[in-house]
Amino acid sequence: MVDLDDISFLKDLSLLVETEEGLKLNVAGLLFVGKETSIQRFLPQVARQDDR
């Protein structure tokens, strides 16, 4: 896995899905590599630990 590019790495881990619009992160992918703002936008039910 060391020699894989980013897209291949994410595909091999099943963190990307192909849609009619192109490649998109699934929920696991978003949680694994997503920015905090993106996670809050697409998964508002996921609260930061210090927000509780």
Side-chain angles (χ1 to χ4, degrees):
M1 266 208 246
V2 176
D3 297 328
L4 296 177
D5 61 270
D6 293 341
I7 299 297
S8 297
F9 176 74
L10 294 171
K11 280 183 178 178
D12 283 357
L13 293 175
S14 300
L15 300 177
L16 282 177
V17 292
E18 291 196 38
T19 68
E20 292 178 3
E21 294 88 27
L23 289 172
K24 298 201 180 223
L25 287 171
N26 59 20
V27 173
L30 180 61
L31 292 171
F32 187 68
V33 299
K35 294 180 182 177
E36 183 177 348
T37 54
S38 297
I39 294 169
Q40 289 174 344
R41 179 176 170 208
F42 293 105
L43 300 171
Q45 67 275 22
V46 178
R48 288 180 38 178
Q49 190 70 9
D50 57 351
D51 286 347
R52 294 181 190 181

